[in-house]
């Protein structure tokens, strides 16, 4: 039995709660909910970083919800329209030790495959930063660069991600590849990605005009605002380049990108 939360509902009496809302709305929603069961399983599907606090979803949940909850994050390369069309898909569910793995069978179907791993920190970090890197790959496409350049950007993105995980103490296991590297490859390789499309449009239009043309949520716009915070933890030249490109100061994106691509590799 599945119930949907709405703005009038203040109490939840479910065994499992799935968070499928924008990260920027997560705090507001969680502050309104009262859980009637203390041992509820909370599964997050939100990708992003809260702008003011620079916190990932799991950190917001840890701050606001009881310690008795069990937590996991479902993250992986999964364009929604392809999932709806029953195209085979592989994602990760990263969990803490308290989650009963048998309860996660509700997410498994003959075509939607879930690989369960211990830990969710690296998955959520990857789910946020891959949107930033997809913008850079879209820029490369918009400027007429080919696959060689795109792969070069993705390799730099992977280096940045692994370095940041190491500094933060987040473990990236081989079994977590779908939700880390797989999600990055998907978002950086297809116009189905709104962040990739934003980067491509940025070559010709302002940020505001790009968002009007896309007419949908572009997660990287919000996430990129936390880049200056994370650069105090680890060097992030590619993420920092994207953040500079999105500043509303009339920056010539074409010149900026060409200078970056020739000097930083």
């Amino acid at each position: 039995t599945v119930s949907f939360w709405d703005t009038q509902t203040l109490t939840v009496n479910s065994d499992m709660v799935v968070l499928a809302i924008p990260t920027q709305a997560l705090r507001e929603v969680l502050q309104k909910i009262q859980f009637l069961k203390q041992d509820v399983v909370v599964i997050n599907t939100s990708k992003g970083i809260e702008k003011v606090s620079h916190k990932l979803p799991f950190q917001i949940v840890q701050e606001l919800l009881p310690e008795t909850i069990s937590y996991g994050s479902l993250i992986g390369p999964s364009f929604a329209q392809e999932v709806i069309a029953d195209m085979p898909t592989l994602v990760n569910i990263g969990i803490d030790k308290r989650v009963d793995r048998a309860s996660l069978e509700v997410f498994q179907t003959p075509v939607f495959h879930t690989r369960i791993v211990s830990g969710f920190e690296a998955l959520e970090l990857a789910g946020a930063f891959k949107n930033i890197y997809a913008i850079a790959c879209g820029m490369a496409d918009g400027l007429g660069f080919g696959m060689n350049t795109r792969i070069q950007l993705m390799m730099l993105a992977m280096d940045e991600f692994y370095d940041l995980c190491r500094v933060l103490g987040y473990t990236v296991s081989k079994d977590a590849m779908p939700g880390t590297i797989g999600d990055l490859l998907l978002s950086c390789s297809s116009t189905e990605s709104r962040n990739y499309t934003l980067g491509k449009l940025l070559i010709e239009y302002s940020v505001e005009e790009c968002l009007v043309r896309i007419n949908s949520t572009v997660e990287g716009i919000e996430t990129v605002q936390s880049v200056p915070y994370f650069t105090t933890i680890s060097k992030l030249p590619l993420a920092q380049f994207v953040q500079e490109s999105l500043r509303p100061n009339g920056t010539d994106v074409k010149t900026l990108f060409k200078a970056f691509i020739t000097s930083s590799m």
Side-chain angles (χ1 to χ4, degrees), residues 85-200:
D86 279 341
M87 295 186 182
T89 300
L90 173 64
V91 300
N92 280 128
I93 305 181
I95 59 172
D96 63 32
K97 295 179 180 179
R98 290 173 292 186
V99 175
D100 178 8
R101 294 189 176 218
S103 69
L104 303 178
E105 286 297 317
V106 295
F107 296 104
Q108 184 87 9
T109 78
V111 292
F112 191 81
H113 306 124
T114 57
R115 180 180 293 174
I116 302 172
V117 296
S118 297
F120 38 73
E121 296 86 351
L123 289 172
E124 291 194 4
L125 187 68
F129 268 82
K130 60 99 177 183
N131 290 324
I132 298 174
Y133 299 135
I135 294 173
C137 289
M139 289 181 188
D141 188 359
L143 285 168
F145 289 100
M147 285 302 300
N148 288 359
T149 306
R150 193 184 307 175
I151 293 299
Q152 194 170 357
L153 288 170
M154 285 191 271
M155 295 303 296
L156 179 57
M158 290 180 200
D159 286 343
E160 287 189 9
F161 168 69
Y162 279 118
D163 286 346
L164 184 57
C165 282
R166 178 179 51 79
V167 175
L168 291 171
Y170 296 170
T171 300
V172 186
S173 68
K174 180 181 177 182
D175 285 340
M177 287 297 172
T180 52
I181 303 307
D183 210 3
L184 172 72
L185 295 176
L186 182 69
S187 296
C188 290
S189 302
S190 174
T191 53
E192 286 188 62
S193 164
R194 289 164 293 191
N195 296 281
Y196 182 94
T197 299
L198 171 66
K200 189 172 181 178

Side-chain angles (χ1 to χ4, degrees), residues 1 4 18 30 90 126 137 160 164 172 225 236 239 241 249 261:
T1 300
F4 289 90
V18 178
L30 291 179
L90 173 64
C137 289
E160 287 189 9
L164 184 57
V172 186
Q225 297 183 42
L236 302 166
F241 156 72
N249 60 358
I261 202 74

Side-chain angles (χ1 to χ4, degrees), residues 249-264:
N249 60 358
T251 301
D252 183 348
V253 175
K254 293 181 182 179
T255 302
L256 194 64
F257 186 91
K258 289 178 180 178
F260 176 84
I261 202 74
T262 54
S263 64
S264 63

